Amino acid sequence: MRLDVVTIFPEYLEPLNVSLVGKARARGQLDVRVHDLREWTHDKHNTVDDTPYGGGPGMVMKPEPWGEALDAIIESGTSGTEDARPTIVVPTPSGEPFTQEIAVELAEKPWLVFTPARYEGIDRRVIEEYGDHYDVRELSIGDYVLAGGEAPVLVMVEAVARLLPGVLGNAESHRDDSFAPGAMADLLEGPVYTKPPEWRGRGIPDVLLSGHHGKIARWRRDEAFRRTTANRPDLIERTDPAAFDKKDREMLSILGWGPGEDGRFGRVAPDVEE
Ligand code: JF8
């Protein structure tokens, strides 16, 4: 997969040189190119922003540097082995929520171009213009406001890169991921433990030392229900109740959850502490 990032803060993307993404690059599984948007300016001050039409606070990124940058980068790909048409990813707080499902979709693309902005964002005509010729995805990593799109790019690239064939070792598979489509309903992962067996007077749940794989699997699922009901009740509420077996229903009942009029599960008793 080829990834291009266009930014006024190329140094913000340095983390792409380390860990999982850095190793995937070193192995040749990822071709990452970070570009300084100011290379496509022509004035003495390398201006990338201007005042907003209609007034209001802040500044808006000018369309010309983005147009020249995207044209040059897209042109550079037409001779390579990559698909000639990249998917363009625009991080923005007003975008569609970036989910595991979208990460899977993006991981299937041969070429992604990320356009992290600063200030109040990019002149709308850039998104319209490229949207007419390419697959443009405006995506948000969550309901909070950041100062720019660079951190969202790091988040999205890591979520995508770990899904590429051979990037994550065989030891760590994707199918147990919370939010993996088709994972155990839509449940959060429960707690995990490792050596030593006692630390600061705290032991390990006996069942994990029992060697009884069936009991361990049941305990893990119960803990997943504990965490999910406490932290993400919306995930339980939206689950088709057919996904819950008899023991799931027993655990949900202990946690104060039961089926409502429509059969879907909701809280029916006061909250239970984790
Ligand atoms: C930005 C450009 C974002 N979930 C999110 N919160 N804030 C942002 C974001 C993205 C781009 C810019 N400010 C200026 C904030 C995403 N994605």
Side-chain angles (χ1 to χ4, degrees):
M1 172 182 273
R2 174 173 166 181
L3 298 179
D4 290 84
V5 185
V6 188
T7 172
I8 61 169
F9 293 123
E11 65 277 19
Y12 206 119
L13 282 301
E14 282 290 309
L16 297 179
N17 294 322
V18 299
S19 192
L20 173 130
V21 174
K23 281 174 196 155
R25 292 176 76 175
R27 286 195 223 102
Q29 292 163 324
L30 257 186
D31 173 10
V32 179
R33 308 181 197 185
V34 178
H35 312 268
D36 186 344
L37 178 68
R38 294 191 200 276
E39 285 177 22
W40 289 280
T41 58
H42 303 286
D43 66 310
K44 192 175 66 178
H45 295 106
N46 304 122
T47 308
V48 295
D49 63 321
D50 205 338
T51 54
Y53 274 119
M59 299 291 272
V60 174
M61 297 191 94
K62 294 168 64 58
E64 304 95 320
W66 284 107
E68 289 194 33
L70 290 171
D71 286 351
I73 289 161
I74 293 165
E75 174 63 24
S76 79
T78 55
S79 57
T81 53
E82 301 92 359
D83 195 289
R85 287 182 175 279
T87 295
I88 300 174
V89 178
V90 184
T92 167
S94 40
E96 173 189 3
F98 177 72
T99 60
Q100 187 64 25
E101 187 180 344
I102 291 176
V104 168
E105 248 182 80
L106 296 182
E108 290 163 358
K109 311 285 185 189
W111 187 9
L112 303 176
V113 176
F114 291 90
T115 62
R118 286 273 149 175
Y119 315 108
E120 303 306 312
I122 305 171
D123 185 300
R124 190 68 208 166
R125 293 169 291 180
V126 176
I127 287 89
E128 288 175 2
E129 171 74 4
Y130 288 87
D132 284 349
H133 304 280
Y134 302 93
D135 179 24
V136 174
R137 305 292 299 267
E138 292 183 88
L139 301 174
S140 166
I141 63 161
D143 291 341
Y144 37 78
V145 181
L146 302 171
E150 285 79 8
V153 169
L154 294 176
V155 167
M156 292 189 257
V157 169
E158 185 158 310
V160 169
R162 65 186 287 283
L163 298 177
L164 299 177
V167 168
L168 216 61
N170 256 353
E172 320 113 80
S173 165
H174 308 303
R175 88 194 117 77
D176 286 347
D177 292 355
S178 291
F179 306 115
M184 37 180 209
D186 260 349
L187 295 177
L188 304 182
E189 301 287 342
V192 294
Y193 301 86
T194 186
K195 271 71 74 185
E198 189 175 300
W199 180 77
R200 298 192 180 179
R202 297 168 189 274
I204 305 296
D206 287 337
V207 64
L208 297 181
L209 306 170
S210 71
H212 196 304
H213 302 303
K215 282 187 180 168
I216 290 170
R218 186 64 247 170
W219 179 84
R220 287 190 170 144
R221 192 160 168 90
D222 287 349
E223 292 304 307
F225 278 113
R226 248 187 236 293
R227 279 221 177 149
T228 312
T229 53
N231 298 337
R232 291 295 305 280
D234 59 302
L235 296 182
I236 305 283
E237 287 157 359
R238 79 178 188 199
T239 300
D240 178 348
F244 302 136
D245 67 15
K246 190 158 175 246
K247 286 180 171 168
D248 294 342
R249 287 157 194 269
E250 271 170 33
M251 185 62 195
L252 282 165
S253 171
I254 288 166
L255 295 170
W257 284 63
E261 289 283 64
D262 59 356
R264 289 193 187 265
F265 279 66
R267 216 185 287 285
V268 295
D271 214 342
V272 172
E273 298 269 339
E274 213 202 315

